[in-house]
Amino acid sequence: MSIQKKVRIGDLLVEGKKISDAQLQDALAEQKRTGRKLGQVLVDNGIISEEAILDTLSQQLKLPFVDLLHYKFNPDIVRLIPEVQARRFRAIALVRDDKSILVGMADPTNIFAYDELSRILDRPLRLAVVKEIDLLKTLDTVYRKTEQISDFAEKLSTELAEGDIDLRQLAESADVTEAPVVRMLQSLFEDAVQIGASDIHIEPDESLLRIRQRVDGILQEHIVNEIRIAPALVLRLKLMAGLDISEKRLPQDGRFSLRINDRNIDVRMSTMPIQHGESAVMRLLDQTGGVRDMDQLGMSDTMRARVEALVQRPHGMFLVTGPTGSGKTTTLYAALKLLNTPENKIITVEDPVEYRVPRLNQIQVHAEIGRTFGRVLRSALRHDPDIILIGEMRDEETAEIAIRAAMTGHMVLSTLHTNDALSTVNRLLDMGIKNYLLASSLHAIVAQRLVRRICLSCIQPAQPDPRETAWLQSFRGITLDMNAFRRGAGCAHCNHVGYTGRIGVYELLEFHRGLTEVLARGDSTEFFRIARQAEGFESLETVALRYAMEGITTLSEVMRIAADLDVVAAAELTPAAQP
């Protein structure tokens, strides 16, 4: 189709009887007042769904609808439209032949965009309707900054070789925005934010520089052959983090903030001397989206309701356990978001403070000056708190103060590095906490892991291999449908890894009267027996296996999180959970 005259989406929706004229006029008035797109106003106000708008555009304009989530696009074709124009016009090139190009547009009624794209592509356009959120996701995948990073690295290496850049002068001048090192770092951060990386690793090797980004818990590597640029990169980063640029023999830690693509990013940086220079690792914390709500964590509705009730008790202790990077702090801050009201005085003691939240009294420990967890906690208790969050219980002193606080009218939330909910009790006992104190203060333990989601663009059936089949036999008494499992074949949407995004796997152990009585007596054997048989208790492996049977994740992901657990649970799935 070619657009011959200006068509307005509001008129099409009224003509298709999807909205009334009165609703259109109200939405147009709000559009004029706020500057938002008309379609977004209609969707945000609950007048019509995005799917209904797309269906109307497709039918009224007689255009095909293309589901980008499952579309096998060619990155070279997509890049025919420069990134700036693709994002500005919400357009993507899909198919090119000798006569024309098929272009997907979120708003095919935009005649100005149509004319500009025709000029850029220099050939007739055929239009299709696409969903905007899937379009932006595809653009993020295709328009990676890796080539740009390599180009800047090559320019910087050339300038360093020619002696054009003096590192000391580079350190003293914070305004050299045109320097290749600055532009390379900007591209590096933009690329990391675009693909949702949680960490960036800069690692100089003997003859090359490795830049690795952790996406969905897995590192992805990009090789830069210009090894001489590594000191310039680390020096600029140390300058941004306020570190000592002359100190290269000792590790240093710092932080700085960036604004990338309308997102506020907090960067926690750590440097360390290695064999071929200095390594820098940066943890990226996106503050734009804020703290998640409880219903965004991935818990079942039943578990979420139980957790919300537990954390809203007037006193006691609630623990979240799991390895580093399993989302413990995210879970606790979701609980704090629920509790963060004018009636509650909340104090957090963390190392470091990961989320900055209004109304919370957040304290970062600083062991070098004596501001330890124990010392800060003792002082915090004198500030009349209702709720205390402890970033991590690392030693007996911290655990003992936390438990006594829970026994004296405070709600205490904290984390612990243990494999599962049951082993948490042993860990606390090993730390020197008396069993009767634990029994009277501990209300619940949530153990969690993160597993990768199968990419919906390339999901396909997958039969368990012999190793997976043998592992499944440990779940005795469970009826398994071997045809229910899925995997991702790998496509451009998921960078050919077969996964996009992650979901939480949770195990909740709630301390009822019978369990606390056994714990108070110190009968560990009976405690574990009762805990495993508690109503509603499901092990991490059981929950993860259900995700695999529902096609959310793969068996290999389930086995990965089960590998670090002490015991392969034989808990049974409830009949309702079986596919």
Side-chain angles (χ1 to χ4, degrees):
M1 170 192 170
S2 63
I3 298 179
Q4 302 295 334
K5 62 179 180 178
K6 184 173 178 62
V7 182
R8 295 189 297 186
I9 188 171
D11 294 337
L12 291 177
L13 292 173
V14 172
E15 184 181 340
K17 302 188 186 316
K18 300 295 183 180
I19 63 174
S20 67
D21 188 64
Q23 288 174 323
L24 173 61
Q25 297 308 317
D26 290 343
L28 287 171
E30 184 171 341
Q31 178 196 28
K32 186 177 181 180
R33 187 175 65 255
T34 63
R36 290 183 296 162
K37 293 181 180 179
L38 176 63
Q40 192 63 48
V41 171
L42 292 169
V43 172
D44 291 346
N45 291 349
I47 297 173
I48 190 173
S49 67
E50 184 180 0
E51 288 74 15
I53 293 177
L54 295 175
D55 182 63
T56 300
L57 289 173
S58 178
Q59 292 184 17
Q60 297 290 93
L61 299 177
K62 295 181 173 54
L63 297 177
F65 171 76
V66 175
D67 182 4
L68 291 178
L69 198 60
H70 300 93
Y71 188 83
K72 308 299 182 184
F73 57 85
N74 183 337
D76 293 331
I77 299 293
V78 175
R79 292 194 191 99
L80 291 174
I81 302 176
E83 181 181 4
V84 173
Q85 282 76 21
R87 294 187 183 278
R88 178 185 178 189
F89 300 133
R90 298 295 194 261
I92 181 171
L94 299 172
V95 178
R96 176 179 60 180
D97 56 33
D98 295 336
K99 298 181 179 179
S100 62
I101 293 181
L102 177 65
V103 175
M105 295 183 68
D107 180 11
T109 66
N110 188 338
I111 191 170
F112 174 75
Y114 178 87
D115 290 341
E116 280 294 297
L117 292 171
S118 298
R119 181 185 62 80
I120 291 170
L121 296 172
D122 195 25
R123 66 177 63 194
L125 305 186
R126 292 179 290 121
L127 297 186
V129 183
V130 297
K131 195 172 182 178
E132 184 171 2
I133 189 171
D134 293 339
L135 167 68
L136 294 176
K137 180 181 177 182
T138 302
L139 297 181
D140 285 344
T141 303
V142 174
Y143 292 106
R144 292 289 304 275
K145 306 291 184 181
T146 50
E147 294 181 6
Q148 199 174 76
I149 292 169
S150 296
D151 289 342
F152 286 139
E154 186 175 348
K155 291 178 182 177
L156 177 59
S157 179
T158 301
E159 293 192 17
L160 288 173
E162 295 172 353
D164 291 338
I165 295 180
D166 178 67
L167 293 185
R168 183 168 298 277
Q169 183 181 4
L170 181 66
E172 294 171 353
S173 175
D175 299 323
V176 194
T177 55
E178 294 303 313
V181 64
V182 177
R183 298 202 299 272
M184 179 179 174
L185 285 174
Q186 182 178 357
S187 297
L188 179 60
F189 283 115
E190 287 177 353
D191 186 60
V193 170
Q194 193 166 292
I195 63 173
S198 61
D199 302 83
I200 301 175
H201 297 235
I202 296 178
E203 303 169 344
D205 208 331
E206 183 176 6
S207 58
L208 52 83
L209 175 65
R210 300 182 193 277
I211 297 177
R212 301 201 278 179
Q213 298 166 316
R214 191 175 296 279
V215 181
D216 295 336
I218 305 298
L219 286 172
Q220 298 179 4
E221 186 172 85
H222 176 59
I223 300 295
V224 178
N225 291 319
E226 288 75 16
I227 183 60
R228 62 169 63 92
I229 72 170
L233 288 179
V234 175
L235 184 143
R236 170 59 65 162
L237 289 168
K238 290 168 77 171
L239 183 68
M240 294 166 66
L243 302 181
D244 184 354
I245 61 173
S246 63
E247 179 57 75
K248 300 179 181 179
R249 300 167 299 173
L250 296 174
Q252 296 188 68
D253 297 309
R255 68 187 304 163
F256 56 91
S257 297
L258 295 170
R259 186 163 180 83
I260 302 291
N261 298 334
D262 296 325
R263 296 185 183 181
N264 295 320
I265 308 296
D266 272 355
V267 182
R268 295 207 321 256
M269 175 179 164
S270 178
T271 65
M272 183 172 60
I274 58 176
Q275 187 176 8
H276 300 290
E278 277 188 286
S279 167
V281 175
M282 291 163 286
R283 168 65 57 90
L284 310 183
L285 301 170
D286 190 346
Q287 302 291 335
T288 304
V291 177
R292 293 191 181 187
D293 293 316
M294 289 292 296
D295 58 3
Q296 296 176 312
L297 298 178
M299 292 182 182
S300 66
D301 292 341
T302 302
M303 182 181 290
R304 189 184 76 248
R306 291 169 65 192
V307 169
E308 289 179 353
L310 286 164
V311 298
Q312 291 184 85
R313 290 182 177 181
H315 58 82
M317 179 178 285
F318 179 88
L319 296 179
V320 180
T321 73
T324 301
S326 59
K328 300 185 296 297
T329 303
T330 299
T331 299
L332 284 183
Y333 264 89
L336 283 189
K337 187 174 184 179
L338 182 70
L339 302 170
N340 188 13
T341 64
E343 295 79 21
N344 286 326
K345 167 86 173 210
I346 303 176
I347 297 178
T348 77
V349 186
E350 305 170 74
D351 182 22
V353 174
E354 292 195 14
Y355 297 96
R356 298 170 184 176
V357 182
R359 198 185 288 120
L360 301 189
N361 293 263
Q362 298 174 280
I363 307 166
Q364 180 162 325
V365 301
H366 197 321
E368 288 79 4
I369 62 173
R371 199 161 70 196
T372 62
F373 273 105
R375 187 170 183 177
V376 173
L377 277 174
R378 287 192 182 91
S379 178
L381 290 172
R382 294 192 288 270
H383 282 250
D384 189 29
D386 297 293
I387 299 159
I388 301 173
L389 182 145
I390 305 170
E392 182 185 348
M393 291 200 295
R394 299 176 179 176
D395 50 46
E396 180 182 353
E397 180 190 22
T398 304
E400 187 172 328
I401 296 172
I403 284 183
R404 295 197 180 278
M407 295 173 63
T408 55
H410 305 87
M411 187 66 203
V412 178
L413 311 179
S414 188
T415 71
L416 205 63
H417 285 277
T418 57
N419 285 339
D420 55 19
L422 297 180
S423 62
T424 302
V425 173
N426 276 343
R427 173 71 187 280
L428 290 168
L429 294 174
D430 290 342
M431 290 170 67
I433 305 301
K434 302 298 183 184
N435 55 292
Y436 61 87
L437 293 177
L438 203 55
S440 61
S441 60
L442 189 54
H443 286 175
I445 303 170
V446 168
Q448 68 180 75
R449 295 290 191 281
L450 295 175
V451 294
R452 291 181 290 173
R453 290 178 178 268
I454 298 173
C455 174
L456 295 179
S457 298
C458 57
I459 188 171
Q460 63 182 31
Q463 284 291 322
D465 61 30
R467 176 171 167 267
E468 292 168 340
T469 301
W471 182 81
L472 286 170
Q473 292 174 356
S474 65
F475 289 85
R476 304 182 188 282
I478 299 176
T479 303
L480 298 172
D481 181 2
M482 293 299 183
N483 296 317
F485 299 109
R486 299 288 185 268
R487 72 177 183 89
C491 65
H493 275 128
C494 59
N495 200 27
H496 303 284
V497 297
Y499 299 96
T500 52
R502 291 188 289 180
I503 186 172
V505 179
Y506 299 91
E507 171 184 286
L508 173 63
L509 177 61
E510 190 172 352
F511 284 70
H512 52 74
R513 182 184 297 272
L515 204 56
T516 56
E517 289 177 352
V518 172
L519 178 57
R521 292 200 307 266
D523 188 345
S524 59
T525 302
E526 184 68 5
F527 171 82
F528 285 116
R529 186 189 68 80
I530 295 177
R532 288 194 181 96
Q533 296 176 356
E535 182 180 356
F537 177 79
E538 288 185 313
S539 68
L540 285 165
E541 306 97 317
T542 303
V543 176
L545 180 58
R546 185 188 313 127
Y547 284 167
M549 290 193 293
E550 292 172 352
I552 297 173
T553 190
T554 61
L555 266 179
S556 61
E557 279 291 284
V558 179
M559 292 177 66
R560 180 177 63 83
I561 70 163
D564 64 347
L565 299 174
D566 294 333
V567 180
V568 175
E572 296 185 3
L573 290 172
T574 59
Q578 296 180 18

PDB file of all heavy atoms in Angstrom, residues 28-54:
ATOM      1  N   LEU A  28      -8.299  13.441  22.344  1.00  0.00           N
ATOM      2  CA  LEU A  28      -7.589  14.482  21.605  1.00  0.00           C
ATOM      3  C   LEU A  28      -7.262  15.673  22.500  1.00  0.00           C
ATOM      4  O   LEU A  28      -6.184  16.275  22.390  1.00  0.00           O
ATOM      5  CB  LEU A  28      -8.437  14.948  20.415  1.00  0.00           C
ATOM      6  CG  LEU A  28      -8.540  13.976  19.224  1.00  0.00           C
ATOM      7  CD1 LEU A  28      -9.576  14.455  18.220  1.00  0.00           C
ATOM      8  CD2 LEU A  28      -7.177  13.807  18.552  1.00  0.00           C
ATOM      9  N   ALA A  29      -8.201  16.004  23.399  1.00  0.00           N
ATOM     10  CA  ALA A  29      -7.954  17.106  24.331  1.00  0.00           C
ATOM     11  C   ALA A  29      -6.798  16.773  25.267  1.00  0.00           C
ATOM     12  O   ALA A  29      -5.929  17.618  25.545  1.00  0.00           O
ATOM     13  CB  ALA A  29      -9.222  17.401  25.132  1.00  0.00           C
ATOM     14  N   GLU A  30      -6.767  15.510  25.739  1.00  0.00           N
ATOM     15  CA  GLU A  30      -5.665  15.096  26.613  1.00  0.00           C
ATOM     16  C   GLU A  30      -4.359  15.022  25.849  1.00  0.00           C
ATOM     17  O   GLU A  30      -3.290  15.361  26.375  1.00  0.00           O
ATOM     18  CB  GLU A  30      -5.984  13.740  27.250  1.00  0.00           C
ATOM     19  CG  GLU A  30      -4.926  13.293  28.251  1.00  0.00           C
ATOM     20  CD  GLU A  30      -5.346  12.067  29.037  1.00  0.00           C
ATOM     21  OE1 GLU A  30      -6.545  11.770  29.096  1.00  0.00           O
ATOM     22  OE2 GLU A  30      -4.444  11.397  29.599  1.00  0.00           O
ATOM     23  N   GLN A  31      -4.422  14.595  24.594  1.00  0.00           N
ATOM     24  CA  GLN A  31      -3.213  14.557  23.759  1.00  0.00           C
ATOM     25  C   GLN A  31      -2.628  15.951  23.591  1.00  0.00           C
ATOM     26  O   GLN A  31      -1.410  16.155  23.702  1.00  0.00           O
ATOM     27  CB  GLN A  31      -3.553  13.970  22.387  1.00  0.00           C
ATOM     28  CG  GLN A  31      -2.354  13.935  21.438  1.00  0.00           C
ATOM     29  CD  GLN A  31      -2.766  13.727  19.981  1.00  0.00           C
ATOM     30  OE1 GLN A  31      -3.874  14.106  19.595  1.00  0.00           O
ATOM     31  NE2 GLN A  31      -1.897  13.132  19.196  1.00  0.00           N
ATOM     32  N   LYS A  32      -3.494  16.933  23.359  1.00  0.00           N
ATOM     33  CA  LYS A  32      -3.041  18.312  23.199  1.00  0.00           C
ATOM     34  C   LYS A  32      -2.428  18.848  24.488  1.00  0.00           C
ATOM     35  O   LYS A  32      -1.454  19.607  24.471  1.00  0.00           O
ATOM     36  CB  LYS A  32      -4.220  19.184  22.770  1.00  0.00           C
ATOM     37  CG  LYS A  32      -3.837  20.620  22.445  1.00  0.00           C
ATOM     38  CD  LYS A  32      -5.050  21.402  21.948  1.00  0.00           C
ATOM     39  CE  LYS A  32      -4.655  22.836  21.603  1.00  0.00           C
ATOM     40  NZ  LYS A  32      -5.834  23.614  21.107  1.00  0.00           N
ATOM     41  N   ARG A  33      -2.999  18.422  25.623  1.00  0.00           N
ATOM     42  CA  ARG A  33      -2.523  18.905  26.918  1.00  0.00           C
ATOM     43  C   ARG A  33      -1.203  18.267  27.333  1.00  0.00           C
ATOM     44  O   ARG A  33      -0.331  18.909  27.904  1.00  0.00           O
ATOM     45  CB  ARG A  33      -3.591  18.637  27.979  1.00  0.00           C
ATOM     46  CG  ARG A  33      -3.275  19.251  29.343  1.00  0.00           C
ATOM     47  CD  ARG A  33      -4.421  19.072  30.321  1.00  0.00           C
ATOM     48  NE  ARG A  33      -4.666  17.682  30.657  1.00  0.00           N
ATOM     49  CZ  ARG A  33      -5.668  16.955  30.210  1.00  0.00           C
ATOM     50  NH1 ARG A  33      -6.559  17.496  29.368  1.00  0.00           N
ATOM     51  NH2 ARG A  33      -5.821  15.692  30.566  1.00  0.00           N
ATOM     52  N   THR A  34      -1.038  16.969  27.049  1.00  0.00           N
ATOM     53  CA  THR A  34       0.127  16.230  27.540  1.00  0.00           C
ATOM     54  C   THR A  34       1.210  16.019  26.499  1.00  0.00           C
ATOM     55  O   THR A  34       2.358  15.727  26.851  1.00  0.00           O
ATOM     56  CB  THR A  34      -0.310  14.842  28.067  1.00  0.00           C
ATOM     57  OG1 THR A  34      -0.856  14.074  26.974  1.00  0.00           O
ATOM     58  CG2 THR A  34      -1.354  14.984  29.159  1.00  0.00           C
ATOM     59  N   GLY A  35       0.865  16.102  25.206  1.00  0.00           N
ATOM     60  CA  GLY A  35       1.848  15.873  24.158  1.00  0.00           C
ATOM     61  C   GLY A  35       2.073  14.413  23.832  1.00  0.00           C
ATOM     62  O   GLY A  35       2.899  14.084  22.985  1.00  0.00           O
ATOM     63  N   ARG A  36       1.329  13.516  24.492  1.00  0.00           N
ATOM     64  CA  ARG A  36       1.476  12.086  24.187  1.00  0.00           C
ATOM     65  C   ARG A  36       0.755  11.733  22.891  1.00  0.00           C
ATOM     66  O   ARG A  36      -0.121  12.456  22.430  1.00  0.00           O
ATOM     67  CB  ARG A  36       0.916  11.241  25.335  1.00  0.00           C
ATOM     68  CG  ARG A  36       1.730  11.296  26.607  1.00  0.00           C
ATOM     69  CD  ARG A  36       1.141  10.370  27.649  1.00  0.00           C
ATOM     70  NE  ARG A  36      -0.198  10.800  28.042  1.00  0.00           N
ATOM     71  CZ  ARG A  36      -1.074  10.011  28.657  1.00  0.00           C
ATOM     72  NH1 ARG A  36      -0.771   8.758  28.919  1.00  0.00           N
ATOM     73  NH2 ARG A  36      -2.259  10.472  28.999  1.00  0.00           N
ATOM     74  N   LYS A  37       1.121  10.566  22.339  1.00  0.00           N
ATOM     75  CA  LYS A  37       0.463  10.111  21.127  1.00  0.00           C
ATOM     76  C   LYS A  37      -0.980   9.722  21.442  1.00  0.00           C
ATOM     77  O   LYS A  37      -1.292   9.250  22.533  1.00  0.00           O
ATOM     78  CB  LYS A  37       1.212   8.902  20.547  1.00  0.00           C
ATOM     79  CG  LYS A  37       2.604   9.236  20.037  1.00  0.00           C
ATOM     80  CD  LYS A  37       3.255   7.991  19.455  1.00  0.00           C
ATOM     81  CE  LYS A  37       4.655   8.300  18.924  1.00  0.00           C
ATOM     82  NZ  LYS A  37       5.313   7.099  18.368  1.00  0.00           N
ATOM     83  N   LEU A  38      -1.849   9.894  20.453  1.00  0.00           N
ATOM     84  CA  LEU A  38      -3.264   9.608  20.648  1.00  0.00           C
ATOM     85  C   LEU A  38      -3.485   8.142  21.032  1.00  0.00           C
ATOM     86  O   LEU A  38      -4.252   7.841  21.964  1.00  0.00           O
ATOM     87  CB  LEU A  38      -4.048   9.940  19.372  1.00  0.00           C
ATOM     88  CG  LEU A  38      -5.545   9.606  19.402  1.00  0.00           C
ATOM     89  CD1 LEU A  38      -6.250  10.412  20.471  1.00  0.00           C
ATOM     90  CD2 LEU A  38      -6.182   9.851  18.028  1.00  0.00           C
ATOM     91  N   GLY A  39      -2.821   7.247  20.306  1.00  0.00           N
ATOM     92  CA  GLY A  39      -2.987   5.830  20.614  1.00  0.00           C
ATOM     93  C   GLY A  39      -2.587   5.501  22.042  1.00  0.00           C
ATOM     94  O   GLY A  39      -3.258   4.714  22.733  1.00  0.00           O
ATOM     95  N   GLN A  40      -1.488   6.110  22.519  1.00  0.00           N
ATOM     96  CA  GLN A  40      -1.027   5.866  23.884  1.00  0.00           C
ATOM     97  C   GLN A  40      -2.033   6.392  24.903  1.00  0.00           C
ATOM     98  O   GLN A  40      -2.270   5.767  25.937  1.00  0.00           O
ATOM     99  CB  GLN A  40       0.339   6.525  24.096  1.00  0.00           C
ATOM    100  CG  GLN A  40       1.046   6.091  25.376  1.00  0.00           C
ATOM    101  CD  GLN A  40       1.367   4.611  25.363  1.00  0.00           C
ATOM    102  OE1 GLN A  40       1.887   4.082  24.406  1.00  0.00           O
ATOM    103  NE2 GLN A  40       1.006   3.926  26.448  1.00  0.00           N
ATOM    104  N   VAL A  41      -2.634   7.544  24.612  1.00  0.00           N
ATOM    105  CA  VAL A  41      -3.651   8.108  25.508  1.00  0.00           C
ATOM    106  C   VAL A  41      -4.838   7.158  25.618  1.00  0.00           C
ATOM    107  O   VAL A  41      -5.338   6.877  26.717  1.00  0.00           O
ATOM    108  CB  VAL A  41      -4.116   9.491  24.999  1.00  0.00           C
ATOM    109  CG1 VAL A  41      -5.329   9.979  25.798  1.00  0.00           C
ATOM    110  CG2 VAL A  41      -2.989  10.499  25.085  1.00  0.00           C
ATOM    111  N   LEU A  42      -5.294   6.642  24.485  1.00  0.00           N
ATOM    112  CA  LEU A  42      -6.439   5.729  24.483  1.00  0.00           C
ATOM    113  C   LEU A  42      -6.143   4.452  25.255  1.00  0.00           C
ATOM    114  O   LEU A  42      -6.982   3.949  26.015  1.00  0.00           O
ATOM    115  CB  LEU A  42      -6.828   5.399  23.037  1.00  0.00           C
ATOM    116  CG  LEU A  42      -7.409   6.557  22.212  1.00  0.00           C
ATOM    117  CD1 LEU A  42      -7.491   6.165  20.736  1.00  0.00           C
ATOM    118  CD2 LEU A  42      -8.778   6.958  22.736  1.00  0.00           C
ATOM    119  N   VAL A  43      -4.928   3.920  25.091  1.00  0.00           N
ATOM    120  CA  VAL A  43      -4.553   2.678  25.792  1.00  0.00           C
ATOM    121  C   VAL A  43      -4.395   2.936  27.289  1.00  0.00           C
ATOM    122  O   VAL A  43      -4.911   2.180  28.121  1.00  0.00           O
ATOM    123  CB  VAL A  43      -3.253   2.098  25.197  1.00  0.00           C
ATOM    124  CG1 VAL A  43      -2.750   0.928  26.042  1.00  0.00           C
ATOM    125  CG2 VAL A  43      -3.476   1.644  23.759  1.00  0.00           C
ATOM    126  N   ASP A  44      -3.695   4.022  27.646  1.00  0.00           N
ATOM    127  CA  ASP A  44      -3.457   4.328  29.062  1.00  0.00           C
ATOM    128  C   ASP A  44      -4.754   4.598  29.811  1.00  0.00           C
ATOM    129  O   ASP A  44      -4.859   4.290  31.011  1.00  0.00           O
ATOM    130  CB  ASP A  44      -2.522   5.538  29.196  1.00  0.00           C
ATOM    131  CG  ASP A  44      -1.109   5.228  28.753  1.00  0.00           C
ATOM    132  OD1 ASP A  44      -0.784   4.041  28.604  1.00  0.00           O
ATOM    133  OD2 ASP A  44      -0.315   6.182  28.550  1.00  0.00           O
ATOM    134  N   ASN A  45      -5.743   5.168  29.139  1.00  0.00           N
ATOM    135  CA  ASN A  45      -7.024   5.465  29.788  1.00  0.00           C
ATOM    136  C   ASN A  45      -7.979   4.273  29.789  1.00  0.00           C
ATOM    137  O   ASN A  45      -9.113   4.380  30.280  1.00  0.00           O
ATOM    138  CB  ASN A  45      -7.702   6.659  29.105  1.00  0.00           C
ATOM    139  CG  ASN A  45      -6.958   7.964  29.365  1.00  0.00           C
ATOM    140  OD1 ASN A  45      -6.068   8.021  30.213  1.00  0.00           O
ATOM    141  ND2 ASN A  45      -7.321   9.015  28.640  1.00  0.00           N
ATOM    142  N   GLY A  46      -7.526   3.150  29.255  1.00  0.00           N
ATOM    143  CA  GLY A  46      -8.347   1.946  29.270  1.00  0.00           C
ATOM    144  C   GLY A  46      -9.510   1.968  28.295  1.00  0.00           C
ATOM    145  O   GLY A  46     -10.439   1.162  28.411  1.00  0.00           O
ATOM    146  N   ILE A  47      -9.470   2.859  27.312  1.00  0.00           N
ATOM    147  CA  ILE A  47     -10.574   2.960  26.348  1.00  0.00           C
ATOM    148  C   ILE A  47     -10.495   1.834  25.319  1.00  0.00           C
ATOM    149  O   ILE A  47     -11.516   1.284  24.888  1.00  0.00           O
ATOM    150  CB  ILE A  47     -10.545   4.333  25.646  1.00  0.00           C
ATOM    151  CG1 ILE A  47     -10.765   5.450  26.695  1.00  0.00           C
ATOM    152  CG2 ILE A  47     -11.594   4.422  24.550  1.00  0.00           C
ATOM    153  CD1 ILE A  47     -10.588   6.857  26.141  1.00  0.00           C
ATOM    154  N   ILE A  48      -9.275   1.474  24.940  1.00  0.00           N
ATOM    155  CA  ILE A  48      -9.079   0.442  23.931  1.00  0.00           C
ATOM    156  C   ILE A  48      -7.712  -0.182  24.146  1.00  0.00           C
ATOM    157  O   ILE A  48      -6.795   0.463  24.686  1.00  0.00           O
ATOM    158  CB  ILE A  48      -9.204   1.046  22.500  1.00  0.00           C
ATOM    159  CG1 ILE A  48      -9.235  -0.054  21.434  1.00  0.00           C
ATOM    160  CG2 ILE A  48      -8.080   2.037  22.240  1.00  0.00           C
ATOM    161  CD1 ILE A  48      -9.532   0.488  20.024  1.00  0.00           C
ATOM    162  N   SER A  49      -7.555  -1.424  23.763  1.00  0.00           N
ATOM    163  CA  SER A  49      -6.262  -2.097  23.907  1.00  0.00           C
ATOM    164  C   SER A  49      -5.392  -1.823  22.683  1.00  0.00           C
ATOM    165  O   SER A  49      -5.901  -1.467  21.601  1.00  0.00           O
ATOM    166  CB  SER A  49      -6.451  -3.602  24.069  1.00  0.00           C
ATOM    167  OG  SER A  49      -6.957  -4.170  22.875  1.00  0.00           O
ATOM    168  N   GLU A  50      -4.083  -1.986  22.843  1.00  0.00           N
ATOM    169  CA  GLU A  50      -3.168  -1.793  21.716  1.00  0.00           C
ATOM    170  C   GLU A  50      -3.460  -2.799  20.614  1.00  0.00           C
ATOM    171  O   GLU A  50      -3.380  -2.475  19.426  1.00  0.00           O
ATOM    172  CB  GLU A  50      -1.717  -1.925  22.180  1.00  0.00           C
ATOM    173  CG  GLU A  50      -0.706  -1.634  21.082  1.00  0.00           C
ATOM    174  CD  GLU A  50       0.736  -1.760  21.546  1.00  0.00           C
ATOM    175  OE1 GLU A  50       0.950  -2.069  22.733  1.00  0.00           O
ATOM    176  OE2 GLU A  50       1.640  -1.547  20.716  1.00  0.00           O
ATOM    177  N   GLU A  51      -3.816  -4.030  21.014  1.00  0.00           N
ATOM    178  CA  GLU A  51      -4.126  -5.064  20.023  1.00  0.00           C
ATOM    179  C   GLU A  51      -5.320  -4.667  19.163  1.00  0.00           C
ATOM    180  O   GLU A  51      -5.342  -4.899  17.947  1.00  0.00           O
ATOM    181  CB  GLU A  51      -4.402  -6.398  20.723  1.00  0.00           C
ATOM    182  CG  GLU A  51      -3.188  -7.077  21.321  1.00  0.00           C
ATOM    183  CD  GLU A  51      -2.696  -6.398  22.595  1.00  0.00           C
ATOM    184  OE1 GLU A  51      -3.462  -5.583  23.173  1.00  0.00           O
ATOM    185  OE2 GLU A  51      -1.556  -6.674  23.010  1.00  0.00           O
ATOM    186  N   ALA A  52      -6.330  -4.037  19.807  1.00  0.00           N
ATOM    187  CA  ALA A  52      -7.514  -3.610  19.053  1.00  0.00           C
ATOM    188  C   ALA A  52      -7.178  -2.493  18.075  1.00  0.00           C
ATOM    189  O   ALA A  52      -7.722  -2.439  16.966  1.00  0.00           O
ATOM    190  CB  ALA A  52      -8.614  -3.169  20.019  1.00  0.00           C
ATOM    191  N   ILE A  53      -6.282  -1.595  18.487  1.00  0.00           N
ATOM    192  CA  ILE A  53      -5.851  -0.517  17.586  1.00  0.00           C
ATOM    193  C   ILE A  53      -5.140  -1.108  16.370  1.00  0.00           C
ATOM    194  O   ILE A  53      -5.402  -0.719  15.220  1.00  0.00           O
ATOM    195  CB  ILE A  53      -4.939   0.478  18.323  1.00  0.00           C
ATOM    196  CG1 ILE A  53      -5.721   1.240  19.394  1.00  0.00           C
ATOM    197  CG2 ILE A  53      -4.315   1.462  17.334  1.00  0.00           C
ATOM    198  CD1 ILE A  53      -4.861   2.189  20.213  1.00  0.00           C
ATOM    199  N   LEU A  54      -4.230  -2.040  16.616  1.00  0.00           N
ATOM    200  CA  LEU A  54      -3.483  -2.661  15.518  1.00  0.00           C
ATOM    201  C   LEU A  54      -4.424  -3.419  14.579  1.00  0.00           C
ATOM    202  O   LEU A  54      -4.266  -3.381  13.353  1.00  0.00           O
ATOM    203  CB  LEU A  54      -2.425  -3.611  16.087  1.00  0.00           C
ATOM    204  CG  LEU A  54      -1.308  -2.970  16.911  1.00  0.00           C
ATOM    205  CD1 LEU A  54      -0.406  -4.044  17.499  1.00  0.00           C
ATOM    206  CD2 LEU A  54      -0.487  -2.015  16.053  1.00  0.00           C
TER     207      LEU A  54
END
